[in-house]
Amino acid sequence: MKNQPIILQIAIPKPLYSHFDYLPPPNIKPKQLRPGMRLRVPFGSRTTIGVLLAVANTSNVPTDKLKAALAVIDSKPILPKDILSLLQWASGYYHHPIGEVIATALPTLLNQGKSDYIETPPNSHWLVTAAGKAINPKSLPKQQQRLAVLLSLLQQNPLGLNENEIALQLPKPRPTLQALKKREWINHQVLSPQASVVPALTLNAAQEEVVNQVAKKFEQFYPCLLDGVTGSGKTEVYLQLIQRVLDKGKQALVLIPEINLTPQTLNRFKERFAVPIVIWHSKLNDTERLHTWLLARDGIAAIVIGTRSAVWIPLARPGIFIVDEEHDQSYKQQDHFRYSARDIAIMRAKRAKVPILLGTATPSLDTLHNALTNRYQHLILPERAGSAVHPSFHLIDMRQQSRQSGLSQPLKQAIEKHLVAQQQILLFINRRGYAPVLMCYNCGWIAGCEHCDARLTFHDTSHHLQCHHCGEIRPLITKCPECGHLKLGLLGQGTERIEEDLQKEFPSARILRIDSDSTKNKYAMHTMLERISKGEVDILVGTQMLAKGHHFPKVTLVGVINIDSGLYGVDFRSTERMGQLLMQVSGRAGRADEKGEVLIQTYHPEHPLLNRLIKKGYASFANAALKEREQAGFPPYSYLALLRAEATDTDSAIALLQKAKTEALALNEAEEIQIWGPVPAPMEKRAKWYRAQLLLISSQRQALHNFLFQWLPKLPAASTKKLRWSLDVDPQDLL
Ligand code: ADP
Ligand code: ZN
Ligand code: ZN
């Protein structure tokens, strides 16, 4: 045994499917090495930081060819075992390189090799840990007198003390505090607990039943779809379940879809709990992210609220996972490591043996299917909490309306009526800018993007043409480049044009446009929401930014300018998305006492699923949409993987996929996998890249994954400046 080599299996943040083998650094005893520690290693002509996955005795590479790692960065693992193991599982499931998966999950500063030790943030409270409580200060040796005094002081103050308070009894306490923290006898809390909290609401019967049912299952994996219309009190259910989790000394992780929802949700949590709450989203700086991550990992933060990548944040004592708006597309990462945070959260809850709540008014068909087949509990909140009632829906047949304006007569009349009644109006249009098409009336030429198969949108505020796919900006053209004609027309509507039409039509109305252009400024959204809630706005015009999360209690009329792109979209999920969006937008109406009204403009007023949606509601719509999926053999009745390729010339992407298909056919003797394509992507050219795809479908998840494990190593390692490919497991769209 003595001569067996020690081999370190290390994950390197590079697009390499496997780990890399190294010998231990000189002067390091193997016992000091544990999975989850970072090491500095030579890689090519440079050095890089990797994470130790395992220590082995054999390698596929001869031992004398292996390089030695240079140094161990950590004295103990930075990644707890459960997260390291989850990351390894995810790397297998998404067939994505383990080093890149780990790098996605770690805060940037840890990827860069910074310490996982938090310097004391200002105004923190110091608390004695469980380990610290168990120490008798008198048992410490004489030289450690200061440690003993401070430990005893904190033992006598279980609610914690801040540095100033401590300094009154022990001058200059900082080095001593750090020494005690290093021993893990004390810890600090960044957010000082507040004195008073807003009391919990009295639950209605449906809410109470949900809370009781989940609370019975706190010690097991209990996946639930919490299915309740907007305003039915889902958030209140989260809050009360979290309270019970906190009472048991455990932590809660809450995923939310959008950064612009964070302040609202966060405030509601902060008002309710006198515990440290940390947040995680893309607008935090690197230091803030590291703090959030460490406070959660070390068990100091009781509640973690965050967007997609928060799903990887370690928790010392996980008690419940909550995914709010589980249907939201933002949970799926759309580049590099294409994971679904919702699905990862379910796997985490399963491994941690705790409940997980997937809350939504409009369940994704995937989740709904899981609920209908009893894999998930289907918990329903049928009514709006408080007094609000459901809105009424009407379709407006646009075939009978003048095409001059985006606003039909019935919609204009309804706006007039609600303005007179001094109520707020929300108009939804899924396109920003002024007009999506600039066309020559003489020869039919249309302004297109040079880099994409897309048209340029005219923006009136900035007075230029813009491609919404690659961001390219062009000056407005006033003369047709084809025929020299000067009569160019702007066709179609965007938010800016609707705003202009409204202003002409209702000159005294106060109109506010909310889209990504008007809210670029960091505080713009906040200011606008404030104006709305103060009643300083009569008509809101906006994109889907308005559809999510916000409460507009004064809105009684919702107008949907054009629903049609969702009715016959190219993607198999288009209809599902349309239904969710429509319900979410209309959920903004009539949240308070007034009954809401929703008017939908369409050229397809006979569309069966649209009619089902507005007459029978989302559940009926979703059931019918599920039947269509079943007939088409699409998810959730099958499992998909999409191989995407892109190249700078027109043929290479298709050629690569054709080769991949030949390999696939050779492996697929049992024909368990259907192979569709290769075909050009629906928008073939985007941002100078020509894109194509090959779709794999299987009725068996395991068969698909077994196949992928065999197939992917046979594909060329193509990631050049001219050609690249990527795999998307469980793709959200085929675009
Ligand atoms: P959701 O998350 O489903 O949209 P919320 O929890 O935000 O619903 O509740 C909607 C509104 O109803 C909020 O203003 C909330 O304060 C109120 N509410 C929720 N539950 C109750 C209850 N049991 N009693 C009274 N009001 C409630
Ligand atoms: Zn022309
Ligand atoms: Zn473009």
Side-chain angles (χ1 to χ4, degrees), residues 18 40 47 76-77 81 150 199 255 286 311 313 400 403 414 417 457 486 513 519 568 572 586 590 657 661 675 697:
S18 172
R40 191 169 289 284
T47 71
K76 53 183 199 275
K81 269 194 202 128
L150 186 47
L255 296 182
D286 287 346
V311 75
I313 297 178
Q400 293 162 14
R403 292 190 179 227
K417 191 181 88 190
T457 300
L486 290 173
R513 174 168 57 87
T519 53
Y568 297 100
F572 75 97
S586 53
L657 294 181
K661 183 177 184 174
I675 303 167
I697 308 181

Side-chain angles (χ1 to χ4, degrees), residues 4-5 32 91 130 147 230 297-299 318 332 335 384 386 436 469-470 571 574 626 690 732:
Q4 278 208 344
Q32 288 171 268
S91 163
L147 295 194
T230 320
R297 184 196 68 175
D298 297 344
K332 179 91 200 255
D335 51 18
R384 288 190 167 191
H469 300 278
C470 70
D571 195 73
S574 308
L626 270 174
Y690 290 88
Q732 277 303 295

Side-chain angles (χ1 to χ4, degrees), residues 4-9 19 21 55-61 63 66:
Q4 278 208 344
I6 306 287
I7 311 285
L8 308 185
Q9 300 181 339
H19 55 77
D21 289 346
V55 181
N57 296 121
T58 58
S59 171
N60 293 334
V61 181
T63 316
L66 288 177

Side-chain angles (χ1 to χ4, degrees), residues 440-445 480-485 488:
C440 169
Y441 282 140
N442 188 44
C443 73
W445 169 87
C480 174
E482 290 289 319
C483 72
H485 202 72
L488 301 184

Side-chain angles (χ1 to χ4, degrees), residues 420-432:
V420 169
Q422 301 197 324
Q423 292 158 336
Q424 273 176 347
I425 295 146
L426 187 160
L427 295 184
F428 171 79
I429 173 164
N430 217 354
R431 192 183 279 133
R432 64 199 173 87

Side-chain angles (χ1 to χ4, degrees), residues 664-665 667-675 697-699 703 707:
L665 290 172
L667 285 173
N668 189 27
E669 279 170 354
E671 298 190 355
E672 280 176 313
I673 316 291
Q674 294 177 51
I675 303 167
I697 308 181
S698 176
S699 58
F707 172 85

Side-chain angles (χ1 to χ4, degrees), residues 117 119-124 126 146 150 163-164 166-167 170-181 186:
Y117 177 79
E119 287 294 318
T120 327
N123 72 35
S124 43
W126 290 92
R146 279 177 69 87
L150 186 47
E163 199 171 315
N164 290 336
I166 294 168
L170 186 80
K172 300 214 167 95
R174 187 162 294 178
T176 318
L177 285 166
Q178 303 297 356
L180 283 173
K181 179 160 195 296
I186 65 168

Side-chain angles (χ1 to χ4, degrees), residues 407-560:
L407 303 171
S408 63
Q409 274 311 325
L411 182 57
K412 282 194 264 193
Q413 283 157 8
I415 293 173
E416 179 76 46
K417 191 181 88 190
H418 286 256
L419 282 177
V420 169
Q422 301 197 324
Q423 292 158 336
Q424 273 176 347
I425 295 146
L426 187 160
L427 295 184
F428 171 79
I429 173 164
N430 217 354
R431 192 183 279 133
R432 64 199 173 87
Y434 187 86
V437 180
L438 175 70
M439 190 180 88
C440 169
Y441 282 140
N442 188 44
C443 73
W445 169 87
I446 287 175
C449 177
E450 271 178 43
H451 313 306
C452 308
D453 294 329
R455 291 160 176 177
L456 295 173
T457 300
F458 174 62
H459 286 248
D460 192 31
T461 326
S462 48
H463 214 72
H464 61 222
L465 296 166
Q466 190 189 344
C467 173
H468 287 180
H469 300 278
C470 70
E472 176 79 359
I473 286 175
R474 301 256 131 169
L476 178 63
I477 300 161
T478 50
K479 185 170 140 191
C480 174
E482 290 289 319
C483 72
H485 202 72
L486 290 173
K487 208 159 171 238
L488 301 184
L490 291 164
L491 308 185
Q493 275 85 27
T495 45
E496 292 179 0
R497 190 173 212 167
I498 295 291
E499 181 187 17
E500 185 184 278
D501 288 355
L502 284 167
Q503 203 69 76
K504 275 189 208 139
E505 199 76 36
F506 306 103
S508 59
R510 295 162 302 173
I511 299 165
L512 180 67
R513 174 168 57 87
I514 298 193
D515 54 29
S516 55
D517 299 312
S518 73
T519 53
K520 266 202 190 101
N521 181 306
K522 195 173 171 188
Y523 301 105
M525 189 73 176
H526 178 76
T527 316
M528 289 181 177
L529 292 174
E530 215 161 62
R531 283 182 58 198
I532 299 166
S533 75
K534 280 189 191 149
E536 293 172 9
V537 175
D538 302 312
I539 308 178
L540 306 167
V541 184
T543 56
Q544 71 219 41
M545 288 183 91
L546 283 180
K548 296 180 181 177
H550 303 294
H551 296 227
F552 302 123
K554 298 192 178 81
V555 168
T556 49
L557 172 66
V558 172
V560 180

